[in-house]
Amino acid sequence: IATEPVPSTQPWKLALTTEKIDAWVRAEVVNWLTLTETLLSGRALVRYDIQNAPVKEFRLRVPAEFKNVEISAPNIRRRDETNGEWRVELQNRVVGVHTLTVTWELPVSVTENAKDLALTGVEVLGVERETGALAVIAKPPLQVTQKSASDELVRIDASELPDWAQVRGAGGSLSPPRGEGDRMSGEG
């Protein structure tokens, strides 16, 4: 080990190879469904975790029967819908955590006793992994009970929902199953 600087006979060189790394995107979705006697309304919080490279566009599938669909987030440039698939373009590329809020309505009639409803939510497209939760709130005088659910849905307590997705003072009956995989859907 030299203790004194050694004079260089040549300027130093370094050769590098570059490659473009694709973004790695994971999404967690919390679908809040609120049921009244005449309306099923929904609010999905889609929390993206973007790593490796920034992205400028997100894609979602919203069931075709949903009405009055609104997608909101900071810096949205445009929203386009084709056959139930939404493309959301941002003003600038983002990396890290980015959250979209999707709201919708679906007219229903549950005035008869024991009305069966098949429930589904917003699906995230083009991500490496999607996880999330589905919470159902029934406004009085309604009550919900689970009739059947797909295998990837697991019943959890409302306190297990992520802090960023908590809705305080929702009132009514809460039934939050949690799902993981490529798609979350179930029947309530």
Side-chain angles (χ1 to χ4, degrees):
I1 298 177
T3 57
E4 294 184 21
V6 177
S8 174
T9 57
Q10 289 185 330
W12 63 271
K13 289 184 179 182
L14 175 64
L16 299 173
T17 301
T18 61
E19 81 178 87
K20 184 177 178 183
I21 298 176
D22 292 330
W24 184 86
V25 182
R26 179 177 130 6
E28 187 169 7
V29 183
V30 176
N31 283 284
W32 287 95
L33 307 178
T34 303
L35 180 63
T36 68
E37 292 181 79
T38 59
L39 187 68
L40 178 63
S41 58
R43 178 175 176 252
L45 297 174
V46 183
R47 187 175 194 247
Y48 291 94
D49 181 13
I50 305 147
Q51 302 297 322
N52 293 344
V55 298
K56 192 173 182 177
E57 179 180 295
F58 300 111
R59 292 182 306 118
L60 303 164
R61 180 168 293 128
V62 177
E65 64 270 14
F66 291 179
K67 307 295 180 215
N68 301 323
V69 175
E70 292 289 332
I71 300 173
S72 60
N75 302 318
I76 291 180
R77 173 173 285 167
R78 64 187 294 170
R79 304 162 195 83
D80 299 314
E81 186 266 337
T82 306
N83 299 324
E85 186 174 311
W86 286 80
R87 184 177 135 307
V88 179
E89 182 184 347
L90 302 177
Q91 295 282 350
N92 301 303
R93 294 179 179 272
V94 294
V95 68
V97 174
H98 193 78
T99 303
L100 297 180
T101 301
V102 183
T103 57
W104 52 268
E105 297 176 330
L106 179 64
V108 295
S109 176
V110 292
T111 54
E112 310 95 44
N113 288 335
K115 173 77 175 183
D116 289 344
L117 293 174
L119 302 177
T120 189
V122 173
E123 179 185 358
V124 182
L125 305 173
V127 296
E128 297 290 326
R129 183 174 176 186
E130 176 184 357
T131 60
L134 169 66
V136 180
I137 303 166
K139 296 288 186 174
L142 299 176
Q143 176 180 323
V144 293
T145 54
Q146 181 177 308
K147 184 177 177 182
S148 65
S150 54
D151 290 340
E152 60 270 355
L153 291 177
V154 177
R155 192 172 189 84
I156 63 169
D157 187 80
S159 64
E160 296 179 71
L161 290 170
D163 289 339
W164 57 266
Q166 295 290 333
V167 174
R168 308 280 185 237
S173 170
L174 180 64
S175 174
R178 178 180 299 270
E180 185 172 315
D182 296 331
R183 180 169 168 84
M184 290 187 340
S185 63
E187 295 180 7

